[in-house]
Amino acid sequence: ECIYCSVDQDKREIDFVIEEEYLSNEFKNLVEFKDSNNIEAHIASQGEPLLYEPLTDLIRSISKLPQVSTISIDTNGVLLTKAKVDQLVSAGLTRFNFSINALDSKITKEIAGKSYNIEKIKEIAEYIAKKTNIIITPVLLKGINEEEMPKIIEFAKKIGADLGIQNFLPYRFGKNPVKSIDFDKFFDKLRGWEKKYNLKLIKTESDFNITKTKPLPK
């Protein structure tokens, strides 16, 4: 539903769900091919991953692989409860990439494209921060939520969350409500906020412990 989704569902009439066992087995094969003890399993989708019914089983299967050091997930948090957070963390999830794009209720509703309880989302984010790692990942939408970024930064600092502000990128089959901000200007904004709030917003590979491995042949 969100106004910037990389897939416009109105243009895609067909969807599909992949079996948990198939995903787990293929991921295991990939991990063995990579020959690394520093694997991050990142769970994302064109939409909301928490809609995947066997998600907990998938995380539990992945967590059994000794080569996996991190299991992360992208989520807007709408479907999360404290009990669900506990369940996912217990299964092996180590980081939530949490999409909070504004703190003003009118702006959050506009971006979400439907009703959106930002106070509940904030409460869940604060709960997650006490349980495991959380990085708040707002998408900067020109003319829509630029003024919200300082509020989100202050909220993240208050609860002890990391921050990863993203520039909106258009997609061929996506919803494209605005144009991207020129990347030079985008990084200038990040540097300004870094200086003002004394924190790192321009991320590099080392911030996520990324190491190069052999690519899987296409």
Side-chain angles (χ1 to χ4, degrees):
E1 294 285 347
C2 77
I3 63 171
Y4 64 83
C5 187
S6 58
V7 172
D8 187 344
Q9 203 62 36
D10 293 337
K11 299 175 184 175
R12 297 288 183 104
E13 297 180 359
I14 298 173
D15 207 348
F16 59 90
V17 177
I18 300 174
E19 295 88 346
E20 183 274 326
E21 184 179 6
Y22 178 86
L23 280 175
S24 298
N25 288 338
E26 289 304 306
F27 183 76
K28 181 181 178 182
N29 292 338
L30 179 60
V31 166
E32 290 173 352
F33 173 83
K34 287 289 185 178
D35 191 26
S36 168
N37 290 319
N38 180 37
I39 297 292
E40 173 172 346
H42 181 62
I43 300 170
S45 69
Q46 307 300 335
E48 174 53 53
L50 285 172
L51 288 168
Y52 186 60
E53 194 274 331
L55 178 62
T56 304
D57 292 334
L58 177 63
I59 292 170
R60 191 175 290 113
S61 295
I62 292 171
S63 70
K64 292 176 181 177
L65 301 174
Q67 303 96 323
V68 174
S69 57
T70 302
I71 304 176
S72 58
I73 191 171
D74 289 341
T75 179
N76 59 26
V78 170
L79 298 175
L80 283 175
T81 61
K82 292 177 181 179
K84 186 67 174 178
V85 170
D86 291 343
Q87 182 187 84
L88 296 175
V89 172
S90 178
L93 191 69
T94 61
R95 189 179 74 236
F96 289 82
N97 293 5
F98 213 66
S99 301
I100 296 180
N101 295 301
L103 296 185
D104 178 90
S105 58
K106 286 180 68 177
I107 299 174
T108 58
K109 184 177 179 181
E110 177 187 356
I111 295 172
K114 58 183 176 181
S115 63
Y116 183 91
N117 187 345
I118 184 59
E119 294 306 316
K120 181 208 170 197
I121 296 297
K122 287 166 63 179
E123 182 183 341
I124 290 294
E126 191 166 0
Y127 184 77
I128 292 170
K130 295 173 182 175
K131 295 286 182 174
T132 191
N133 298 313
I134 176 172
I135 177 167
I136 295 177
T137 56
V139 176
L140 186 57
L141 299 162
K142 186 177 182 180
I144 296 179
N145 66 348
E146 290 171 88
E147 301 303 317
E148 292 294 296
M149 291 302 131
K151 301 177 192 176
I152 294 173
I153 292 169
E154 289 173 353
F155 173 70
K157 290 189 74 173
K158 175 187 170 187
I159 69 171
D162 197 359
L163 264 163
I165 299 175
Q166 306 168 80
N167 194 8
F168 168 73
L169 298 175
Y171 288 86
R172 180 183 172 192
F173 294 109
K175 298 178 180 181
N176 298 310
V178 297
K179 292 184 177 180
S180 297
I181 297 173
D182 177 83
F183 267 95
D184 287 338
K185 293 179 180 178
F186 173 71
F187 284 117
D188 282 344
K189 285 180 179 290
L190 294 189
R191 291 186 190 97
W193 289 324
E194 281 185 330
K195 188 174 181 180
K196 181 176 180 179
Y197 294 100
N198 189 32
L199 78 171
K200 186 174 184 181
L201 294 174
I202 300 175
K203 306 294 187 181
T204 63
E205 290 182 352
S206 62
D207 291 301
F208 296 100
N209 195 26
I210 294 173
T211 54
K212 293 190 183 301
T213 60
K214 55 184 178 180
L216 186 70
K218 295 184 173 58

